[in-house]
Amino acid sequence: MLHFYGWATPNSQRVSIMLEECGLTYAVTGVNIRAREQFAPEILALNPYGKIPILVEDGRAIIESGAILLHLAERHGVLWGEDRATTLSWLMVALTSLGPFTGQAHHWTGLAPEKPEAARAHSTALVDRVYRLLEGRLAAVPYLAGQACSIADIAAYPWVAKHHWAARELSATPYLAAWFARMGERPAVRRGMRVPEGARLE
């Protein structure tokens, strides 16, 4: 039995979507980051970094959403798109740019008690740059790695779902908006976005 630890965060949703896409059976433990449950002793025993998501498989804890996606894709031979190198390239864009930049923008537009304009403008400009990149790519192909859905799309989708964190409107990037709608029609994506049941990121 696989055991998934996560919450309604984009990084957690990457993993729950992947588990659903793979058709796997798994147990779920919700870890509410707003309540700082990620620092509970039982979570730190699995990941001393105090972060989610975590996937426990065969008694070992796998941490970091990108590592979990790669592990599951390799183990089950799924969602590699048409070309491994291209898939890995766009996966890295989602892991190293889209996610971190959107998270920083969220801090400066929503979470920080003080919101200096320079910090807000810088962080949202970085998100704009990634969105221009994604828009150009998706103007040429239906999915980030080409003609088929891959782990690159799964890594990107939950973060694009939080576009409002960076004061973005998807209508400004029609090809990205069409991709977002296409991904949202996948049953596994719909199921994965609802795990853990009832979790909300306030």
Side-chain angles (χ1 to χ4, degrees):
M1 173 70 75
L2 297 167
H3 198 139
F4 166 68
Y5 294 79
W7 196 243
T9 68
N11 285 345
S12 291
Q13 289 164 337
R14 287 169 168 171
V15 175
S16 53
I17 289 171
M18 186 65 178
L19 290 166
E20 293 292 334
E21 288 279 2
C22 292
L24 299 171
T25 300
Y26 58 98
V28 178
T29 294
V31 182
N32 186 342
I33 64 169
R34 293 289 189 253
R36 299 180 63 81
E37 291 176 358
Q38 70 271 35
F39 300 113
E42 59 269 27
I43 302 302
L44 291 174
L46 297 172
N47 183 1
Y49 203 2
K51 290 175 61 180
I52 54 170
I54 303 166
L55 183 67
V56 177
E57 178 190 71
D58 299 330
R60 64 179 175 181
I62 309 169
I63 63 174
E64 295 295 328
S65 62
I68 298 170
L69 291 182
L70 284 166
H71 171 74
L72 292 174
E74 290 174 347
R75 180 160 186 149
H76 299 282
V78 296
L79 294 161
W80 277 110
E82 302 163 70
D83 170 41
R84 181 183 176 91
T86 302
T87 298
L88 288 173
S89 295
W90 289 97
L91 173 65
M92 293 306 136
V93 169
L95 296 180
T96 66
S97 296
L98 177 62
F101 293 164
T102 306
Q104 284 296 308
H106 183 40
H107 177 77
W108 293 115
T109 61
L111 299 178
E114 297 181 3
K115 301 174 177 62
E117 175 57 23
R120 189 207 64 78
H122 176 72
S123 63
T124 56
L126 290 173
V127 177
D128 287 344
R129 182 182 178 192
V130 181
Y131 272 53
R132 289 195 299 271
L133 175 67
L134 298 179
E135 178 73 357
R137 175 62 175 169
L138 294 166
V141 290
Y143 296 97
L144 291 175
Q147 298 300 315
C149 182
S150 73
I151 51 175
D153 301 284
I154 290 171
Y157 179 84
W159 280 102
V160 175
K162 298 296 187 183
H163 56 272
H164 58 282
W165 282 2
R168 292 280 320 184
E169 293 289 343
L170 289 187
S171 59
T173 47
Y175 289 103
L176 180 62
W179 165 88
F180 184 74
R182 194 157 48 246
M183 287 293 295
E185 292 172 356
R186 296 175 70 89
V189 171
R190 292 181 178 180
R191 292 193 302 269
M193 290 292 284
R194 296 193 296 265
V195 177
E197 184 177 354
R200 296 181 63 184
L201 190 61
E202 301 293 349

